[in-house]
Amino acid sequence: MKLTYYGQSTVELVADGKTLLFDPFITPNELAKDIDINSLKPDYILVSHGHGDHVANLVTVQKNSGAKVICIAEIHEWLGKQGVTNVHGMNIGGGFNFEFGRVKMVNAVHSSALPDGSNGGNPAGFLIYSEGKVIYFAGDTALTYDMKLLADENLDWAILPIGDNYTMGADDAIKAAAFINCKNIIGVHYDSFPVIKINKEEVAGKFVKAGLNLKLPAIGESLEL
Ligand code: NI
Ligand code: MN
């Protein structure tokens, strides 16, 4: 499985030959100015919640690619009003088998409204089961005891927010790694705004000390999972 990072929480995963794009937020992100959104042609777009830093380029990329959007029911309804009809609505706790594998929508502790003020439903995270691997995309979330429900999922990789202020910071992400029983962590949701700037070396040191494998890919960089 190949992962490419596009800044903030925007992650692309190639799973069983299909391209999944999570939370597209690129053009408003100064740090991602070298990424051309017209080059993104996902088969699926997964949306964790309605905040601008997760949906800013959702409609544009969907219209460029024709991708199927996987999101919570309220965002499904909002997308219909934006003229996006290729949408698979789900809700927390539900799973569905897509052509690349299974997606399960899981709880996140955060808030969710869309840029025009519409109700974004509840914020969510995703479990992706594909190619015999299990990946957790946490979305924007606080540390929560619900993460302990994932401890027996045999997670291979977890994509966790680490920027603090709006989500977990590094210290709570380290606790989350223990709750979910996963040592391989990709840190996201940092540096895009002044209040979520991190000291990467300090954060990396904390993860090493906790016995965890933290990856902080550069924007545009790919990793083999
Ligand atoms: Ni958010
Ligand atoms: Mn966010």
Side-chain angles (χ1 to χ4, degrees), residues 6-111:
Y6 292 121
Q8 190 64 346
S9 295
T10 309
V11 169
E12 186 184 87
L13 207 56
V14 179
D16 203 18
K18 297 294 172 192
T19 301
L20 283 57
L21 184 70
F22 294 80
D23 287 359
F25 169 78
I26 294 165
T27 55
N29 186 358
E30 177 63 20
L31 302 175
K33 62 181 187 311
D34 294 337
I35 306 298
D36 173 13
I37 61 161
N38 297 313
S39 70
L40 301 177
K41 294 280 158 51
D43 299 296
Y44 294 87
I45 304 172
L46 290 85
V47 183
S48 67
H49 66 295
H51 289 156
D53 60 316
H54 300 259
V55 303
N57 297 126
L58 168 58
V59 172
T60 304
V61 175
Q62 196 284 331
K63 289 189 174 168
N64 278 344
S65 60
K68 183 181 286 290
V69 181
I70 301 174
C71 60
I72 204 155
E74 287 80 359
I75 296 180
H76 182 178
E77 190 179 325
W78 177 80
L79 280 167
K81 293 176 187 155
Q82 320 305 312
V84 176
T85 53
N86 191 11
V87 183
H88 184 102
M90 306 180 67
N91 217 317
I92 311 284
F96 189 81
N97 296 325
F98 294 89
E99 54 193 340
F100 58 85
R102 185 168 176 81
V103 174
K104 185 175 180 187
M105 186 173 267
V106 296
N107 199 28
V109 174
H110 191 66
S111 59

Side-chain angles (χ1 to χ4, degrees), residues 49 51 92 106-112 122-125 136 138-147 161 166-168:
H49 66 295
H51 289 156
I92 311 284
V106 296
N107 199 28
V109 174
H110 191 66
S111 59
S112 182
N122 287 326
Y136 172 44
D140 280 9
T141 185
L143 177 68
T144 163
Y145 262 46
D146 277 9
M147 290 171 175
Y166 297 118
T167 66
M168 298 190 289

Side-chain angles (χ1 to χ4, degrees), residues 8 15 34 45 70 80 85 93 95 104 114 117 124 132 147-148 162 185 187 197 199 208-209 220 222:
Q8 190 64 346
D34 294 337
I45 304 172
I70 301 174
T85 53
K104 185 175 180 187
L114 289 146
M147 290 171 175
K148 293 193 175 191
I162 59 167
I185 308 297
K197 286 227 187 303
N199 178 332
V208 168
K209 204 173 158 199
S222 297

Side-chain angles (χ1 to χ4, degrees), residues 96-225:
F96 189 81
N97 296 325
F98 294 89
E99 54 193 340
F100 58 85
R102 185 168 176 81
V103 174
K104 185 175 180 187
M105 186 173 267
V106 296
N107 199 28
V109 174
H110 191 66
S111 59
S112 182
L114 289 146
D116 63 3
S118 299
N119 175 18
N122 287 326
F126 295 103
L127 293 173
I128 310 297
Y129 304 82
S130 182
E131 299 182 14
K133 296 196 167 101
V134 190
I135 314 292
Y136 172 44
F137 180 90
D140 280 9
T141 185
L143 177 68
T144 163
Y145 262 46
D146 277 9
M147 290 171 175
K148 293 193 175 191
L149 295 169
L150 310 185
D152 59 2
E153 292 285 347
N154 294 313
L155 298 179
D156 291 285
W157 285 89
I159 300 160
L160 303 180
I162 59 167
D164 216 349
N165 194 74
Y166 297 118
T167 66
M168 298 190 289
D171 294 331
D172 278 355
I174 287 167
K175 289 182 188 169
F179 282 7
I180 63 178
N181 189 26
C182 181
K183 291 205 179 307
N184 297 318
I185 308 297
I186 294 156
V188 299
H189 211 275
Y190 66 91
D191 279 4
S192 315
F193 314 116
V195 295
I196 59 172
K197 286 227 187 303
I198 65 164
N199 178 332
K200 280 200 206 180
E201 280 175 25
E202 187 186 320
V203 165
K206 287 180 177 186
F207 276 77
V208 168
K209 204 173 158 199
L212 299 170
N213 172 31
L214 175 71
K215 299 283 189 204
L216 297 176
I219 293 174
E221 187 184 345
S222 297
L223 299 174
E224 199 57 44
L225 303 189

